[in-house]
Amino acid sequence: EVVGKLTKSRHVGIVATEGTIRSKSYSLEIAKFYPDITVSGQACPLWAAIVEAGEADSEGADYFVKKRIQQLLEKDDKIDTILLGCTHYPLLMGALRKAVPQGISIMPQGEYVAEALEDYLHRHPEMAANCSEGGTIHYYTTESPERFKECAAMFLHEDVTVNKIRL
């Protein structure tokens, strides 16, 4: 909803996983609010793996981020706003700032989503009343609890307790 307020050129780029780009979900949603905005997408298949491997600040990350940003900008040189379409991508902000030309905004979604949710709950107190506060969080994974803990620490900046489950 906010992308129309962020772009002046009305040309927006999306960097996301292959599945997200293939789904065209961002293009479809943006068109509902802003049919005049041109959206170009670029799949970035290695980015999440780079983050999960703890290599977000490496020369390898710089290389792969620069490569995909160049590919995106070759599709549309009028892009002035790039949306990060994956929760992992804000952890690549250092590499993104190096790769994205000056004058192009980088839009991680976390704070926008949080603000929109906060606004929604203020406007819908009946929904807010259904939300618990001060609860307990339990983490479960079907994969390696140790690997989950490593990734959780990157995103949450705290240690978590994880339980392995079988489905």
Side-chain angles (χ1 to χ4, degrees):
E1 293 177 29
V2 299
V3 72
K5 298 172 189 168
L6 301 176
T7 176
K8 304 241 185 303
S9 71
R10 312 311 276 172
H11 291 257
V12 173
I14 310 289
V15 288
T17 63
E18 291 183 69
T20 299
I21 295 298
R22 212 175 16 256
S23 76
K24 299 186 188 282
S25 57
Y26 280 90
S27 300
L28 295 169
E29 288 302 312
I30 290 170
K32 288 178 187 176
F33 293 99
Y34 305 101
D36 63 313
I37 291 180
T38 300
V39 179
S40 300
Q42 178 62 51
C44 304
L46 295 178
W47 288 15
I50 289 168
V51 169
E52 289 182 1
E55 296 292 329
D57 295 320
S58 69
E59 289 180 15
D62 291 348
Y63 171 82
F64 286 109
V65 168
K66 182 178 180 181
K67 180 178 180 179
R68 297 299 182 208
I69 292 297
Q70 286 176 338
Q71 289 172 336
L72 174 65
L73 296 176
E74 285 171 7
K75 293 176 181 178
D76 183 352
D77 64 358
K78 293 182 179 125
I79 290 171
D80 71 349
T81 304
I82 297 176
L83 304 174
L84 305 184
C86 176
T87 56
H88 289 60
Y89 295 179
L91 296 173
L92 291 166
M93 195 58 79
L96 284 160
R97 286 195 178 111
K98 291 177 199 172
V100 173
Q102 196 168 11
I104 297 177
S105 301
I106 304 168
M107 183 182 158
Q109 296 178 65
E111 75 181 57
Y112 294 104
V113 172
E115 288 171 8
L117 177 58
E118 182 178 31
D119 176 61
Y120 177 85
L121 292 173
H122 284 299
R123 290 183 290 113
H124 299 279
E126 71 282 3
M127 292 301 292
N130 291 326
C131 297
S132 62
E133 294 184 25
T136 303
I137 300 172
H138 298 275
Y139 296 96
Y140 297 91
T141 183
T142 57
E143 297 187 17
S144 163
E146 292 78 23
R147 184 73 190 115
F148 185 97
K149 286 175 77 163
E150 289 174 19
C151 290
M154 280 188 264
F155 289 96
L156 302 175
H157 305 289
E158 63 183 65
D159 290 329
V160 300
T161 300
V162 182
N163 297 299
K164 182 171 180 145
I165 61 169
R166 296 186 194 283
L167 301 178

PDB file of all heavy atoms in Angstrom, residues 38-66:
ATOM      1  N   THR A  38       4.874   0.616 -12.860  1.00  0.00           N
ATOM      2  CA  THR A  38       5.503  -0.483 -13.591  1.00  0.00           C
ATOM      3  C   THR A  38       6.360  -1.265 -12.599  1.00  0.00           C
ATOM      4  O   THR A  38       7.191  -0.678 -11.902  1.00  0.00           O
ATOM      5  CB  THR A  38       6.387   0.055 -14.735  1.00  0.00           C
ATOM      6  OG1 THR A  38       5.564   0.809 -15.629  1.00  0.00           O
ATOM      7  CG2 THR A  38       7.082  -1.074 -15.482  1.00  0.00           C
ATOM      8  N   VAL A  39       6.161  -2.578 -12.547  1.00  0.00           N
ATOM      9  CA  VAL A  39       6.889  -3.434 -11.608  1.00  0.00           C
ATOM     10  C   VAL A  39       7.751  -4.421 -12.391  1.00  0.00           C
ATOM     11  O   VAL A  39       7.264  -5.103 -13.286  1.00  0.00           O
ATOM     12  CB  VAL A  39       5.912  -4.204 -10.689  1.00  0.00           C
ATOM     13  CG1 VAL A  39       6.681  -5.109  -9.733  1.00  0.00           C
ATOM     14  CG2 VAL A  39       5.027  -3.235  -9.916  1.00  0.00           C
ATOM     15  N   SER A  40       9.019  -4.487 -12.039  1.00  0.00           N
ATOM     16  CA  SER A  40       9.941  -5.461 -12.623  1.00  0.00           C
ATOM     17  C   SER A  40      10.493  -6.319 -11.495  1.00  0.00           C
ATOM     18  O   SER A  40      10.877  -5.791 -10.451  1.00  0.00           O
ATOM     19  CB  SER A  40      11.099  -4.759 -13.337  1.00  0.00           C
ATOM     20  OG  SER A  40      10.615  -3.940 -14.379  1.00  0.00           O
ATOM     21  N   GLY A  41      10.537  -7.624 -11.711  1.00  0.00           N
ATOM     22  CA  GLY A  41      11.022  -8.525 -10.679  1.00  0.00           C
ATOM     23  C   GLY A  41      12.303  -9.231 -11.066  1.00  0.00           C
ATOM     24  O   GLY A  41      12.549  -9.479 -12.246  1.00  0.00           O
ATOM     25  N   GLN A  42      13.094  -9.541 -10.056  1.00  0.00           N
ATOM     26  CA  GLN A  42      14.336 -10.296 -10.256  1.00  0.00           C
ATOM     27  C   GLN A  42      14.449 -11.369  -9.190  1.00  0.00           C
ATOM     28  O   GLN A  42      14.469 -11.059  -8.002  1.00  0.00           O
ATOM     29  CB  GLN A  42      15.553  -9.366 -10.199  1.00  0.00           C
ATOM     30  CG  GLN A  42      16.877 -10.068 -10.358  1.00  0.00           C
ATOM     31  CD  GLN A  42      16.998 -10.761 -11.704  1.00  0.00           C
ATOM     32  OE1 GLN A  42      16.750 -10.137 -12.739  1.00  0.00           O
ATOM     33  NE2 GLN A  42      17.363 -12.027 -11.716  1.00  0.00           N
ATOM     34  N   ALA A  43      14.498 -12.614  -9.622  1.00  0.00           N
ATOM     35  CA  ALA A  43      14.710 -13.720  -8.683  1.00  0.00           C
ATOM     36  C   ALA A  43      16.156 -13.711  -8.205  1.00  0.00           C
ATOM     37  O   ALA A  43      17.077 -13.467  -8.989  1.00  0.00           O
ATOM     38  CB  ALA A  43      14.385 -15.047  -9.357  1.00  0.00           C
ATOM     39  N   CYS A  44      16.336 -13.960  -6.919  1.00  0.00           N
ATOM     40  CA  CYS A  44      17.660 -13.952  -6.297  1.00  0.00           C
ATOM     41  C   CYS A  44      17.825 -15.265  -5.533  1.00  0.00           C
ATOM     42  O   CYS A  44      17.755 -15.291  -4.299  1.00  0.00           O
ATOM     43  CB  CYS A  44      17.789 -12.749  -5.373  1.00  0.00           C
ATOM     44  SG  CYS A  44      17.468 -11.185  -6.206  1.00  0.00           S
ATOM     45  N   PRO A  45      18.034 -16.367  -6.258  1.00  0.00           N
ATOM     46  CA  PRO A  45      17.974 -17.697  -5.646  1.00  0.00           C
ATOM     47  C   PRO A  45      19.005 -17.991  -4.566  1.00  0.00           C
ATOM     48  O   PRO A  45      18.750 -18.802  -3.699  1.00  0.00           O
ATOM     49  CB  PRO A  45      18.134 -18.644  -6.832  1.00  0.00           C
ATOM     50  CG  PRO A  45      18.761 -17.831  -7.910  1.00  0.00           C
ATOM     51  CD  PRO A  45      18.319 -16.426  -7.691  1.00  0.00           C
ATOM     52  N   LEU A  46      20.134 -17.325  -4.561  1.00  0.00           N
ATOM     53  CA  LEU A  46      21.171 -17.636  -3.571  1.00  0.00           C
ATOM     54  C   LEU A  46      21.125 -16.752  -2.341  1.00  0.00           C
ATOM     55  O   LEU A  46      21.770 -17.054  -1.339  1.00  0.00           O
ATOM     56  CB  LEU A  46      22.557 -17.518  -4.214  1.00  0.00           C
ATOM     57  CG  LEU A  46      22.864 -18.520  -5.319  1.00  0.00           C
ATOM     58  CD1 LEU A  46      24.244 -18.241  -5.899  1.00  0.00           C
ATOM     59  CD2 LEU A  46      22.785 -19.934  -4.801  1.00  0.00           C
ATOM     60  N   TRP A  47      20.393 -15.666  -2.381  1.00  0.00           N
ATOM     61  CA  TRP A  47      20.479 -14.683  -1.309  1.00  0.00           C
ATOM     62  C   TRP A  47      20.097 -15.250   0.055  1.00  0.00           C
ATOM     63  O   TRP A  47      20.791 -15.024   1.040  1.00  0.00           O
ATOM     64  CB  TRP A  47      19.640 -13.459  -1.621  1.00  0.00           C
ATOM     65  CG  TRP A  47      20.199 -12.582  -2.702  1.00  0.00           C
ATOM     66  CD1 TRP A  47      21.192 -12.889  -3.601  1.00  0.00           C
ATOM     67  CD2 TRP A  47      19.793 -11.253  -3.005  1.00  0.00           C
ATOM     68  NE1 TRP A  47      21.410 -11.836  -4.447  1.00  0.00           N
ATOM     69  CE2 TRP A  47      20.570 -10.809  -4.109  1.00  0.00           C
ATOM     70  CE3 TRP A  47      18.848 -10.395  -2.469  1.00  0.00           C
ATOM     71  CZ2 TRP A  47      20.419  -9.542  -4.650  1.00  0.00           C
ATOM     72  CZ3 TRP A  47      18.692  -9.134  -3.018  1.00  0.00           C
ATOM     73  CH2 TRP A  47      19.479  -8.713  -4.094  1.00  0.00           C
ATOM     74  N   ALA A  48      18.994 -15.965   0.134  1.00  0.00           N
ATOM     75  CA  ALA A  48      18.572 -16.513   1.433  1.00  0.00           C
ATOM     76  C   ALA A  48      19.616 -17.502   1.959  1.00  0.00           C
ATOM     77  O   ALA A  48      19.938 -17.503   3.147  1.00  0.00           O
ATOM     78  CB  ALA A  48      17.203 -17.172   1.322  1.00  0.00           C
ATOM     79  N   ALA A  49      20.161 -18.315   1.064  1.00  0.00           N
ATOM     80  CA  ALA A  49      21.181 -19.283   1.472  1.00  0.00           C
ATOM     81  C   ALA A  49      22.436 -18.574   1.971  1.00  0.00           C
ATOM     82  O   ALA A  49      23.069 -19.026   2.937  1.00  0.00           O
ATOM     83  CB  ALA A  49      21.517 -20.216   0.308  1.00  0.00           C
ATOM     84  N   ILE A  50      22.794 -17.474   1.348  1.00  0.00           N
ATOM     85  CA  ILE A  50      23.956 -16.699   1.787  1.00  0.00           C
ATOM     86  C   ILE A  50      23.739 -16.200   3.209  1.00  0.00           C
ATOM     87  O   ILE A  50      24.624 -16.298   4.064  1.00  0.00           O
ATOM     88  CB  ILE A  50      24.235 -15.532   0.809  1.00  0.00           C
ATOM     89  CG1 ILE A  50      24.774 -16.076  -0.520  1.00  0.00           C
ATOM     90  CG2 ILE A  50      25.184 -14.506   1.416  1.00  0.00           C
ATOM     91  CD1 ILE A  50      24.813 -15.062  -1.650  1.00  0.00           C
ATOM     92  N   VAL A  51      22.552 -15.675   3.471  1.00  0.00           N
ATOM     93  CA  VAL A  51      22.230 -15.183   4.815  1.00  0.00           C
ATOM     94  C   VAL A  51      22.267 -16.328   5.815  1.00  0.00           C
ATOM     95  O   VAL A  51      22.883 -16.219   6.879  1.00  0.00           O
ATOM     96  CB  VAL A  51      20.856 -14.484   4.835  1.00  0.00           C
ATOM     97  CG1 VAL A  51      20.395 -14.216   6.259  1.00  0.00           C
ATOM     98  CG2 VAL A  51      20.916 -13.183   4.032  1.00  0.00           C
ATOM     99  N   GLU A  52      21.622 -17.435   5.482  1.00  0.00           N
ATOM    100  CA  GLU A  52      21.558 -18.570   6.403  1.00  0.00           C
ATOM    101  C   GLU A  52      22.921 -19.186   6.664  1.00  0.00           C
ATOM    102  O   GLU A  52      23.139 -19.784   7.719  1.00  0.00           O
ATOM    103  CB  GLU A  52      20.573 -19.612   5.885  1.00  0.00           C
ATOM    104  CG  GLU A  52      19.139 -19.134   5.999  1.00  0.00           C
ATOM    105  CD  GLU A  52      18.130 -20.171   5.545  1.00  0.00           C
ATOM    106  OE1 GLU A  52      18.526 -21.296   5.153  1.00  0.00           O
ATOM    107  OE2 GLU A  52      16.933 -19.842   5.587  1.00  0.00           O
ATOM    108  N   ALA A  53      23.842 -19.025   5.721  1.00  0.00           N
ATOM    109  CA  ALA A  53      25.201 -19.540   5.913  1.00  0.00           C
ATOM    110  C   ALA A  53      26.063 -18.571   6.720  1.00  0.00           C
ATOM    111  O   ALA A  53      27.238 -18.842   6.964  1.00  0.00           O
ATOM    112  CB  ALA A  53      25.847 -19.811   4.554  1.00  0.00           C
ATOM    113  N   GLY A  54      25.476 -17.446   7.130  1.00  0.00           N
ATOM    114  CA  GLY A  54      26.234 -16.472   7.908  1.00  0.00           C
ATOM    115  C   GLY A  54      27.224 -15.673   7.077  1.00  0.00           C
ATOM    116  O   GLY A  54      28.201 -15.146   7.599  1.00  0.00           O
ATOM    117  N   GLU A  55      26.980 -15.571   5.780  1.00  0.00           N
ATOM    118  CA  GLU A  55      27.915 -14.915   4.868  1.00  0.00           C
ATOM    119  C   GLU A  55      27.399 -13.582   4.338  1.00  0.00           C
ATOM    120  O   GLU A  55      27.873 -13.087   3.319  1.00  0.00           O
ATOM    121  CB  GLU A  55      28.219 -15.856   3.690  1.00  0.00           C
ATOM    122  CG  GLU A  55      28.914 -17.137   4.086  1.00  0.00           C
ATOM    123  CD  GLU A  55      30.333 -16.911   4.588  1.00  0.00           C
ATOM    124  OE1 GLU A  55      31.006 -15.957   4.136  1.00  0.00           O
ATOM    125  OE2 GLU A  55      30.779 -17.686   5.448  1.00  0.00           O
ATOM    126  N   ALA A  56      26.442 -12.973   5.015  1.00  0.00           N
ATOM    127  CA  ALA A  56      25.819 -11.735   4.523  1.00  0.00           C
ATOM    128  C   ALA A  56      26.805 -10.588   4.358  1.00  0.00           C
ATOM    129  O   ALA A  56      26.594  -9.701   3.531  1.00  0.00           O
ATOM    130  CB  ALA A  56      24.675 -11.319   5.441  1.00  0.00           C
ATOM    131  N   ASP A  57      27.893 -10.599   5.115  1.00  0.00           N
ATOM    132  CA  ASP A  57      28.878  -9.517   5.038  1.00  0.00           C
ATOM    133  C   ASP A  57      30.138  -9.923   4.290  1.00  0.00           C
ATOM    134  O   ASP A  57      31.200  -9.316   4.474  1.00  0.00           O
ATOM    135  CB  ASP A  57      29.237  -9.043   6.453  1.00  0.00           C
ATOM    136  CG  ASP A  57      28.058  -8.413   7.161  1.00  0.00           C
ATOM    137  OD1 ASP A  57      27.302  -7.679   6.502  1.00  0.00           O
ATOM    138  OD2 ASP A  57      27.872  -8.664   8.362  1.00  0.00           O
ATOM    139  N   SER A  58      30.016 -10.920   3.431  1.00  0.00           N
ATOM    140  CA  SER A  58      31.197 -11.440   2.727  1.00  0.00           C
ATOM    141  C   SER A  58      31.320 -10.856   1.320  1.00  0.00           C
ATOM    142  O   SER A  58      30.384 -10.268   0.783  1.00  0.00           O
ATOM    143  CB  SER A  58      31.108 -12.965   2.625  1.00  0.00           C
ATOM    144  OG  SER A  58      30.063 -13.332   1.726  1.00  0.00           O
ATOM    145  N   GLU A  59      32.492 -11.045   0.729  1.00  0.00           N
ATOM    146  CA  GLU A  59      32.707 -10.631  -0.661  1.00  0.00           C
ATOM    147  C   GLU A  59      31.792 -11.414  -1.593  1.00  0.00           C
ATOM    148  O   GLU A  59      31.344 -10.889  -2.610  1.00  0.00           O
ATOM    149  CB  GLU A  59      34.166 -10.831  -1.059  1.00  0.00           C
ATOM    150  CG  GLU A  59      35.114  -9.859  -0.397  1.00  0.00           C
ATOM    151  CD  GLU A  59      36.561 -10.087  -0.804  1.00  0.00           C
ATOM    152  OE1 GLU A  59      36.824 -10.790  -1.800  1.00  0.00           O
ATOM    153  OE2 GLU A  59      37.439  -9.555  -0.102  1.00  0.00           O
ATOM    154  N   GLY A  60      31.518 -12.664  -1.249  1.00  0.00           N
ATOM    155  CA  GLY A  60      30.603 -13.465  -2.061  1.00  0.00           C
ATOM    156  C   GLY A  60      29.207 -12.865  -2.079  1.00  0.00           C
ATOM    157  O   GLY A  60      28.563 -12.804  -3.132  1.00  0.00           O
ATOM    158  N   ALA A  61      28.740 -12.411  -0.932  1.00  0.00           N
ATOM    159  CA  ALA A  61      27.431 -11.751  -0.867  1.00  0.00           C
ATOM    160  C   ALA A  61      27.446 -10.502  -1.733  1.00  0.00           C
ATOM    161  O   ALA A  61      26.512 -10.269  -2.518  1.00  0.00           O
ATOM    162  CB  ALA A  61      27.080 -11.405   0.572  1.00  0.00           C
ATOM    163  N   ASP A  62      28.506  -9.708  -1.625  1.00  0.00           N
ATOM    164  CA  ASP A  62      28.610  -8.497  -2.445  1.00  0.00           C
ATOM    165  C   ASP A  62      28.503  -8.839  -3.923  1.00  0.00           C
ATOM    166  O   ASP A  62      27.790  -8.160  -4.681  1.00  0.00           O
ATOM    167  CB  ASP A  62      29.931  -7.772  -2.188  1.00  0.00           C
ATOM    168  CG  ASP A  62      30.018  -7.149  -0.809  1.00  0.00           C
ATOM    169  OD1 ASP A  62      28.991  -7.061  -0.107  1.00  0.00           O
ATOM    170  OD2 ASP A  62      31.145  -6.743  -0.418  1.00  0.00           O
ATOM    171  N   TYR A  63      29.192  -9.896  -4.347  1.00  0.00           N
ATOM    172  CA  TYR A  63      29.190 -10.290  -5.754  1.00  0.00           C
ATOM    173  C   TYR A  63      27.786 -10.676  -6.222  1.00  0.00           C
ATOM    174  O   TYR A  63      27.312 -10.186  -7.249  1.00  0.00           O
ATOM    175  CB  TYR A  63      30.162 -11.464  -5.979  1.00  0.00           C
ATOM    176  CG  TYR A  63      30.036 -12.056  -7.359  1.00  0.00           C
ATOM    177  CD1 TYR A  63      30.678 -11.460  -8.445  1.00  0.00           C
ATOM    178  CD2 TYR A  63      29.258 -13.195  -7.584  1.00  0.00           C
ATOM    179  CE1 TYR A  63      30.548 -11.989  -9.718  1.00  0.00           C
ATOM    180  CE2 TYR A  63      29.121 -13.727  -8.857  1.00  0.00           C
ATOM    181  CZ  TYR A  63      29.767 -13.117  -9.924  1.00  0.00           C
ATOM    182  OH  TYR A  63      29.632 -13.629 -11.181  1.00  0.00           O
ATOM    183  N   PHE A  64      27.124 -11.570  -5.482  1.00  0.00           N
ATOM    184  CA  PHE A  64      25.821 -12.058  -5.920  1.00  0.00           C
ATOM    185  C   PHE A  64      24.732 -10.992  -5.811  1.00  0.00           C
ATOM    186  O   PHE A  64      23.822 -10.954  -6.640  1.00  0.00           O
ATOM    187  CB  PHE A  64      25.433 -13.332  -5.164  1.00  0.00           C
ATOM    188  CG  PHE A  64      26.217 -14.524  -5.627  1.00  0.00           C
ATOM    189  CD1 PHE A  64      27.187 -15.081  -4.821  1.00  0.00           C
ATOM    190  CD2 PHE A  64      26.002 -15.068  -6.881  1.00  0.00           C
ATOM    191  CE1 PHE A  64      27.932 -16.170  -5.252  1.00  0.00           C
ATOM    192  CE2 PHE A  64      26.733 -16.157  -7.330  1.00  0.00           C
ATOM    193  CZ  PHE A  64      27.710 -16.714  -6.508  1.00  0.00           C
ATOM    194  N   VAL A  65      24.821 -10.128  -4.830  1.00  0.00           N
ATOM    195  CA  VAL A  65      23.854  -9.031  -4.730  1.00  0.00           C
ATOM    196  C   VAL A  65      24.036  -8.072  -5.896  1.00  0.00           C
ATOM    197  O   VAL A  65      23.072  -7.695  -6.565  1.00  0.00           O
ATOM    198  CB  VAL A  65      23.982  -8.316  -3.367  1.00  0.00           C
ATOM    199  CG1 VAL A  65      23.208  -7.002  -3.361  1.00  0.00           C
ATOM    200  CG2 VAL A  65      23.479  -9.233  -2.249  1.00  0.00           C
ATOM    201  N   LYS A  66      25.276  -7.688  -6.170  1.00  0.00           N
ATOM    202  CA  LYS A  66      25.544  -6.769  -7.284  1.00  0.00           C
ATOM    203  C   LYS A  66      25.060  -7.359  -8.611  1.00  0.00           C
ATOM    204  O   LYS A  66      24.444  -6.658  -9.426  1.00  0.00           O
ATOM    205  CB  LYS A  66      27.037  -6.457  -7.362  1.00  0.00           C
ATOM    206  CG  LYS A  66      27.397  -5.477  -8.447  1.00  0.00           C
ATOM    207  CD  LYS A  66      28.882  -5.164  -8.449  1.00  0.00           C
ATOM    208  CE  LYS A  66      29.194  -4.168  -9.557  1.00  0.00           C
ATOM    209  NZ  LYS A  66      30.618  -3.853  -9.623  1.00  0.00           N
TER     210      LYS A  66
END
